[in-house]
Amino acid sequence: MRLMMRLSENAISRARVDLCKLILETPIEQISRCGNPKILAALTTDMDIMSAGYRALINALLNTVVVLSSIAYLFAIYVPFGVMLLSFLLVGVVIQNRATRWPIARAAQARRTLDSLHESLSRLVRGARELQLNRQRATFYLETAVSRYAGKTAQLVAECMGQFALVTSLGELMFFSALLLLLLPVFSPHATATVTASAIIVMLFVSSSIGELLHLLPDMGRATASLSHVLAMFDIMQQAPRVTQQKPSPKPHFESIELRELIHEYTTNGTHAFKVGPVNFTLQPSEIVFIVGGNGSGKTTLMMLLLGLYEPKDGCILLNRKNIEAHELDRYRSYFSAVFSDYELFDTIFDCSLETAARATVLLEKLRLGDKTSITEGRFSSMALSSGQRKRLALVSAYLEDRPVYVFDEWAADQDPQFRHMFYSELLPELRRAGKAVVAITHDSQYFHYADRVLQMCNGRLSAWSPTSTMF
Ligand SMILES: Nc1ncnc2c1ncn2[C@@H]1O[C@H](COP(=O)(O)OP(=O)(O)OP(=O)(O)O)[C@@H](O)[C@H]1O
Ligand SMILES: [Mg+2]
């Protein structure tokens, strides 16, 4: 039993890691299409249900071996008994197979509702502050989303389990009736008393295995629904070409990056929603470029294209005047360090030389984070910071990566005037002096003179910004 548990848990943990690996190789847009709650449901609930199903399957295989050995034994002691038991079981399997379609369909329906439940739960957790501020909205949300989907899921799971219980009882009834029938003397006129007695013992033995097999059906049925969900997710993710992982060059050589006639198109429900490009843009070492433009003009999309995180519909990217093919994107990405506007901060630091760590410690002090956190054993000692402080730590984290190109999406937006000034007047020029290229999306027009070039994004088109142009 312990071995069985270990086998099933190992298989599930492998499946979980494989799905995570696949996520890391799937284009970001494809991941967005799947939706975070669905992916989380697949990684957590589905895997737990599949784990129970896997244990049930191993159990079922062991019981099947017992049943088959018993049938073989019956064949050995009295062939008609063996033939009859085998025929009963085959008929039983066919009937059960048909009968279980009904609860399995319910399990699939329950699984689909679970996605909606997960979505409403994750919104509830993320939006707890907003909901606590407005009790009316909280009550409405609880009733219309959480309670509704929780109730529907519970009802469907209960119906599914009820139907499985009915099918199991029916199966047991059929099997015991068949056993009794089998032992009627009319079916075994030539069997001796010893043979009949042995057959009774074997059949009692078989009946416990059959009973157990029938009781495993609900777990296996629900696991089937979860498995098809996970497979569908694998399918969606594999529809887009995967990003081949490559070893990043230890000292990336950077002369230029060029976006040539690059186009990206968003589609919503199959229809064109927004187009960025064609974009032509060149970046060189020690260059600071600001991208400005109104909300929704396409700045972040351009940044994703530059980072090689969005697949362009047309055009190409050239690194050091060499075209970057799809299979080279992973290596291309290793030229960049970025702080997104909705960034995620990880506490672990990689490949950090002593010299860089020492410089980062100076930077921590400069950004007034020295008394809040430090670099200890390859990680930041604390991340209990305010939102502005966390953003500064994200900058230190990017700095530690020591890559040739730095990209910032409205980094200074939530900084106080002192740090905003420090960012533009000290940190960016320092990066330039170190030979780094910087692309910063910004709305801070008072700092435009710190850039070598200011480009403007307007309705998806990139052009040079001039002080007389209307920006927003
Ligand atoms: N997933 C998406 N599907 C469809 N359209 C999208 C999607 N994401 C963004 N868009 C559209 O693309 C346009 C550009 O979005 P983008 O995020 O690049 O703008 P932005 O210039 O960074 O805006 P902001 O200043 O508000 O950050 C927007 O008008 C938006 O409606
Ligand atoms: Mg943006």
Side-chain angles (χ1 to χ4, degrees), residues 266-268 273-274 294-301 410 443:
Y266 287 113
T267 48
T268 320
F274 190 83
N295 293 137
S297 57
K299 303 179 298 295
T300 301
T301 312
E410 300 186 31
H443 295 296

Side-chain angles (χ1 to χ4, degrees), residues 34 226-239:
C34 284
S226 281
L227 180 67
S228 48
H229 227 79
V230 172
L231 290 180
M233 183 146 293
F234 267 91
D235 242 29
I236 296 174
M237 292 203 183
Q238 280 168 338
Q239 271 168 19

Side-chain angles (χ1 to χ4, degrees), residues 118-414:
H118 264 269
E119 176 137 19
S120 61
L121 290 178
S122 69
R123 287 192 76 189
L124 178 106
V125 175
R126 268 185 290 132
R129 287 168 308 184
E130 286 82 355
L131 293 176
Q132 283 190 16
L133 277 179
N134 188 330
R135 282 290 156 202
Q136 209 179 350
R137 181 185 286 145
T139 314
F140 180 77
Y141 190 71
L142 263 182
E143 280 167 11
T144 55
V146 180
S147 304
R148 182 167 146 229
Y149 291 125
K152 185 91 186 134
T153 310
Q155 179 206 334
L156 287 169
V157 171
E159 277 177 25
C160 159
M161 297 310 264
Q163 289 171 356
F164 264 123
L166 202 69
V167 170
T168 305
S169 312
L170 198 77
E172 281 176 332
L173 191 72
M174 273 170 48
F175 180 70
F176 287 116
S177 320
L179 274 192
L180 289 178
L181 215 66
L182 193 79
L183 294 172
L184 287 179
V186 66
F187 288 112
S188 49
H190 308 298
T192 62
T194 326
V195 166
T196 308
S198 308
I200 290 173
I201 292 169
V202 171
M203 288 196 196
L204 285 175
F205 189 55
V206 170
S207 66
S208 77
S209 289
I210 297 281
E212 210 163 314
L213 273 172
L214 288 168
H215 283 280
L216 293 172
L217 285 177
D219 277 348
M220 291 200 286
R222 290 192 67 202
T224 312
S226 281
L227 180 67
S228 48
H229 227 79
V230 172
L231 290 180
M233 183 146 293
F234 267 91
D235 242 29
I236 296 174
M237 292 203 183
Q238 280 168 338
Q239 271 168 19
R242 286 163 72 175
V243 182
T244 338
Q245 288 195 30
Q246 289 179 305
K247 221 177 150 70
S249 24
K251 268 264 163 249
H253 170 67
F254 172 51
E255 281 174 26
S256 67
I257 285 173
E258 185 183 347
L259 308 187
R260 195 177 283 174
E261 295 293 311
L262 215 60
I263 294 179
H264 179 78
E265 259 180 22
Y266 287 113
T267 48
T268 320
N269 303 325
T271 56
H272 163 81
F274 190 83
K275 179 177 165 186
V276 169
V279 168
N280 288 295
F281 170 69
T282 310
L283 186 68
Q284 277 159 354
S286 299
E287 218 187 350
I288 298 179
V289 179
F290 285 177
I291 312 272
V292 303
N295 293 137
S297 57
K299 303 179 298 295
T300 301
T301 312
L302 173 65
M303 169 180 169
M304 297 296 274
L305 284 168
L306 172 67
L307 294 170
L309 289 171
Y310 275 0
E311 192 194 357
K313 183 171 177 269
D314 210 351
C316 57
I317 300 177
L318 287 90
L319 172 66
N320 303 334
R321 290 180 293 282
K322 195 177 154 288
N323 196 11
I324 293 293
E325 304 291 341
H327 70 272
E328 294 170 312
L329 271 177
D330 201 47
R331 193 175 60 83
Y332 169 75
R333 288 174 192 163
S334 69
Y335 276 66
F336 295 92
S337 196
V339 182
F340 299 94
S341 55
D342 53 350
Y343 65 101
E344 185 67 49
L345 184 57
F346 293 94
D347 65 348
T348 326
I349 300 157
F350 295 96
D351 280 344
C352 179
S353 64
L354 281 176
E355 190 198 342
T356 320
R359 268 186 290 149
T361 309
V362 174
L363 190 59
L364 278 177
E365 289 298 335
K366 198 169 184 170
L367 294 172
R368 292 239 203 92
L369 294 171
D371 57 337
K372 300 277 176 192
T373 189
S374 59
I375 298 167
T376 324
E377 292 171 6
R379 59 177 58 217
F380 293 119
S381 59
S382 165
M383 297 227 284
L385 304 167
S386 75
S387 57
Q389 290 168 339
R390 274 175 72 84
K391 196 83 173 271
R392 298 210 287 276
L393 193 60
L395 183 75
V396 178
S397 174
Y399 181 82
L400 280 167
E401 289 186 324
D402 196 20
R403 304 238 169 126
V405 187
Y406 282 79
V407 181
F408 302 108
D409 194 351
E410 300 186 31
W411 182 87
D414 47 9

Side-chain angles (χ1 to χ4, degrees), residues 51-64 216 219-220:
S51 167
Y54 195 86
R55 278 196 299 277
L57 182 70
I58 297 175
N59 230 328
L61 288 177
L62 294 178
N63 281 294
T64 308
L216 293 172
D219 277 348
M220 291 200 286

